[in-house]
Amino acid sequence: MSVLIAIPARYASTRYPCKPLAELRGTSGEARSLIRRSWEAACAVSGVDRVVVATDDDRIRTAAEAFGAEVVMTSEECANGTERCAEAHAALGGGFDIVVNLQGDAPLTPHWFVEDLVAGLRADPAAEVATPVLRCDGAALNGFLADRAAGRVGGTTAVFTRDRHALYFSKEVVPFTSQTYANDAQTPVFHHVGVYAYRPEALAAYPGWAPGPLEGLEGLEQLRFLENGRAVLCVEVEARDRQFWELNNPEDVPKIETMMRQMGLD
């Protein structure tokens, strides 16, 4: 089955304008843009036939082409990354069996997250979309709770059925638990990792659906699939001692750089 990875990137982020060009430094001290690091993460995934950056901004196109990425220009009307991936896949002529949306703000995504995601979608014919979830330890959960208490969005959580089909995704911490967890303890909360694998039919249908009320309230694009009765598979992935965090706010830059140094990433 042929696999395309599309990295949607837009310049005019509401919470963090020009975010794709924000620079991150690891152990080497070399400054590399967020979009470049996300592209490098995509290129590390095995079993992928093509990797493209999907953007509507010439500044991102210029930066991406400078470090060797293939770029597909998309329209400014794309409301989110899924719509941008749908447009990019169509612009390439379609034909891929699985399209992966590796969002351009997740440079710490390990290659096995995407590999496990693709394998999970292949193994579940009832699922039209798949997305990874990572069980939070106490440190991650406490970080989410601290962010919410400070009025920041620190991540997205997921709840799902016994067969791993999603029930809901939220920027709040769900499910609620009154228990206090040590930093190294496992918790019942799952962090949703912002990567998606779509079957092309579901991806092509997505832009034609009007956003529903839950998507509007949460600002989470994957809820459109659930609001239209489409099965979204949650694939549990393992951290393998890797830390994971998305760059959502300017305050996340030093946090991610610290994680990179702790993991020995340059």
Side-chain angles (χ1 to χ4, degrees):
M1 298 178 74
S2 57
V3 178
L4 166 72
I5 294 183
I7 306 172
R10 66 190 184 100
Y11 194 88
S13 170
T14 303
R15 280 184 287 165
Y16 193 170
C18 71
K19 181 169 69 171
L21 302 184
E23 294 185 336
L24 296 168
R25 290 173 172 81
T27 55
S28 69
E30 178 188 359
R32 278 181 268 168
S33 66
L34 177 62
I35 188 61
R36 178 174 178 175
R37 291 187 180 276
S38 298
W39 176 77
E40 290 171 348
C43 291
V45 178
S46 64
V48 173
D49 298 276
R50 197 167 180 180
V51 177
V52 300
V53 172
T55 187
D56 60 3
D57 192 276
D58 286 333
R59 289 162 291 191
I60 295 174
R61 179 183 64 181
T62 299
E65 289 179 342
F67 58 73
E70 179 181 0
V71 177
V72 177
M73 295 303 293
T74 54
S75 69
E76 296 180 355
E77 283 69 39
C78 293
N80 55 44
T82 299
E83 290 191 9
R84 201 170 300 283
C85 286
E87 191 171 307
H89 185 233
L92 292 170
F96 289 90
D97 298 303
I98 293 176
V99 180
V100 174
N101 172 355
L102 180 60
Q103 298 193 68
D105 59 4
L108 300 184
T109 304
H111 63 86
W112 62 87
F113 279 24
V114 183
E115 293 158 1
D116 290 352
L117 181 64
V118 171
L121 187 59
R122 285 173 171 161
D124 187 345
E128 297 180 83
V129 183
T131 192
V133 293
L134 181 65
R135 186 184 289 273
C136 291
D137 60 16
L141 175 56
N142 293 334
F144 284 177
L145 294 172
D147 276 334
R148 295 309 296 130
R152 296 187 300 269
V153 176
T156 298
T157 57
V159 290
F160 41 82
T161 65
R162 290 180 178 178
D163 62 1
R164 300 286 172 165
H165 285 190
L167 290 169
Y168 196 60
F169 299 90
S170 182
K171 289 179 180 176
E172 291 292 349
V173 180
V174 293
F176 168 77
T177 172
S178 61
Q179 186 174 337
T180 300
Y181 296 90
N183 282 344
D184 60 351
Q186 287 201 333
T187 79
V189 176
F190 283 85
H191 178 194
H192 171 242
V193 180
V195 185
Y196 305 93
Y198 318 98
R199 300 195 192 280
E201 297 80 9
L203 180 60
Y206 182 93
W209 299 326
L214 297 177
E215 180 186 352
L217 289 167
E218 293 271 9
L220 295 174
E221 63 202 88
Q222 67 270 33
L223 290 174
R224 196 180 307 182
F225 288 107
L226 296 185
E227 291 188 87
N228 284 277
R230 303 304 178 106
V232 178
L233 176 68
C234 292
V235 177
E236 184 175 356
V237 293
E238 296 180 354
R240 302 184 195 175
D241 296 324
R242 284 282 296 271
Q243 300 180 70
F244 179 85
W245 202 266
E246 298 167 357
L247 202 162
N248 294 302
N249 309 286
E251 295 86 352
D252 292 326
V253 170
K255 182 182 297 185
I256 290 176
E257 289 181 328
T258 297
M259 289 179 176
M260 291 172 62
R261 289 191 292 270
Q262 289 172 343
M263 292 184 289
L265 301 178
D266 61 7

